[in-house]
Amino acid sequence: MKEIKWGFIGCGDVAEHKSGPAFNEVAGSRVVAVMSRRESHVRSYAQRHHIGRWYTDAQELIDDPEVNAVYVATPPSSHATYAIMAMRTGKPVYVEKPLAATYEDCVRINRVSEQTGVPCYVAYYRRYMPYFQRVREIVEGGTIGKVLNVQIRFSCPPRPEDHAEDGQLPWRLQADIAGGGYFYDMAAHQLDLLQDMFGVITRAHGYCSNRGGLYQVEDTVTAAFQFEGGLNGSGSWCFVGHESASEDRIEIIGDRGMLCFSVFSFDPIHLHLSDGMQTFDIPSPRYVQQPIVRHVVEALQGFGVCSSDSVSATPTNWVMDRILNKL
């Protein structure tokens, strides 16, 4: 493909702010059509972003002869359906994370990708952001020595929309749509980053509960896991904590030092060594998905590689399903 001409399925907040504008910023990439089931919403999105065509039917967008690649930016429960529809039409797919709402749906996507020979990429965009590239460089450079243990700690207070008196909770708190609660939405990024650095997690166990009582899905999760090379890790997530306990931290502990970084707040990276602490403040790109979109486009054009494909993304769903006792 000389020019990647994208059709978007879904045009919500993610496509509005994190990803959508990036597709037109990458050389050889252009958005030509967009789809949403709400006509007023998709028409407004197309007009504001100067996109020529819009649809309310996904199949019509996929069948558009000018569209040669599809971006699926809907909630996870529909990822498998839309990705498979596109791949069976011969059109490559870039899917929002997590790849699907269940591990089983991830396996379905991989099977169709293998059968059709059509690639499916996944928006684990943090892999390609400069901030996390620096984390990887420090670890792989041996600065902290042999890595002995990995710890994830995350806590935040409830969001205003979590107190839904009318029962209209955000889709991220509806397990049949999201796969779980905020854990399934946010821990996916953390676990993907760690597996990208240390290999696949082959053992995982977890305990989940609902401590706040604001909604039905889990709001507190504790987990232990082990990577294929024998490295142990643990994680603690609380989405209803007091604001004084707010934390977004991963610690990578080595035999010569420790590396600490955040995943969502992009706090400065802290490197602790025997002779003191070093700090690295790495700015984020204007559009956080632009680095990975560039890699996807270059891979589709035949002169680049994007490692964040459906095969590499599937273990993250397996780990989360294990932690939530879905497998």
Side-chain angles (χ1 to χ4, degrees):
M1 297 181 183
K2 292 184 178 180
E3 183 180 32
I4 310 304
K5 292 180 281 190
W6 294 94
F8 286 6
I9 298 178
C11 50
D13 288 343
V14 170
E16 186 75 52
H17 303 292
K18 293 184 178 181
S19 61
F23 286 83
N24 287 324
E25 294 291 325
V26 173
S29 172
R30 182 162 56 97
V31 183
V32 299
V34 63
M35 172 268 167
S36 174
R37 288 179 295 179
R38 289 184 292 159
E39 181 176 335
S40 60
H41 182 69
V42 69
R43 185 195 304 114
S44 172
Y45 186 95
Q47 291 173 346
R48 284 183 288 105
H49 294 277
H50 310 290
I51 299 170
R53 292 186 302 288
W54 52 266
Y55 299 95
T56 56
D57 182 272
Q59 191 65 62
E60 289 183 6
L61 176 133
I62 292 170
D63 290 338
D64 185 324
E66 190 172 358
V67 170
N68 60 17
V70 175
Y71 170 42
V72 178
T74 59
S77 60
S78 58
H79 286 184
T81 298
Y82 292 139
I84 289 171
M85 286 169 60
M87 288 188 292
R88 291 203 183 281
T89 312
K91 298 187 178 183
V93 189
Y94 176 61
V95 184
E96 266 306 320
K97 64 83 210 162
L99 175 55
T102 65
Y103 169 69
E104 287 82 0
D105 273 352
C106 294
V107 172
R108 290 175 54 220
I109 291 171
N110 287 328
R111 185 181 302 119
V112 173
S113 180
E114 182 179 9
Q115 290 171 348
T116 60
V118 178
C120 176
Y121 299 100
V122 185
Y124 281 120
Y125 56 88
R126 280 173 168 79
R127 295 190 193 185
Y128 289 99
M129 292 180 66
Y131 181 97
F132 301 103
Q133 291 283 309
R134 188 72 179 105
V135 170
R136 175 189 284 277
E137 290 171 4
I138 294 170
V139 172
E140 294 184 349
T143 306
I144 63 172
K146 179 182 179 180
V147 177
L148 307 174
N149 189 259
V150 177
Q151 298 177 9
I152 304 171
R153 295 201 300 275
F154 185 88
S155 180
C156 65
R159 305 178 188 190
E161 58 266 31
D162 298 347
H163 304 269
E165 297 180 0
D166 59 359
Q168 297 299 313
L169 287 168
W171 65 260
R172 288 178 175 85
L173 294 177
Q174 300 179 48
D176 58 332
I177 297 175
Y182 288 127
F183 171 80
Y184 217 83
D185 181 56
M186 301 184 73
H189 273 303
Q190 298 163 320
L191 294 167
D192 174 76
L193 280 169
L194 293 177
Q195 290 189 101
D196 192 45
M197 282 193 285
F198 301 118
V200 173
I201 292 173
T202 56
R203 301 177 66 187
H205 305 278
Y207 298 92
C208 53
S209 61
N210 185 297
R211 303 294 293 168
L214 298 178
Y215 39 77
Q216 293 186 345
V217 293
E218 74 289 336
D219 60 23
T220 307
V221 179
T222 303
F225 44 88
Q226 187 176 70
F227 297 86
E228 57 187 345
L231 173 66
N232 290 338
S234 62
S236 174
W237 296 264
C238 180
F239 300 99
V240 290
H242 187 264
E243 60 184 12
S244 63
S246 294
E247 188 172 24
D248 172 13
R249 184 178 177 92
I250 293 183
E251 295 180 353
I252 301 177
I253 301 168
D255 60 5
R256 291 172 50 193
M258 177 176 71
L259 187 65
C260 306
F261 63 98
S262 64
V263 173
F264 303 101
S265 57
F266 300 105
D267 296 331
I269 300 165
H270 289 162
L271 173 61
H272 300 265
L273 300 172
S274 298
D275 57 356
M277 183 183 75
Q278 298 178 40
T279 300
F280 306 90
D281 195 355
I282 312 295
S284 296
R286 180 182 179 187
Y287 304 118
V288 294
Q289 292 208 28
Q290 187 167 337
I292 192 174
V293 170
R294 177 172 60 82
H295 279 81
V296 170
V297 168
E298 291 176 354
L300 294 177
Q301 290 175 328
F303 61 87
V305 175
C306 180
S307 66
S308 187
D309 59 16
S310 60
V311 174
S312 73
T314 295
T316 294
N317 280 78
W318 181 86
V319 174
M320 293 192 297
D321 283 3
R322 288 282 298 174
I323 291 172
L324 294 183
N325 300 302
K326 293 168 64 177
L327 288 177

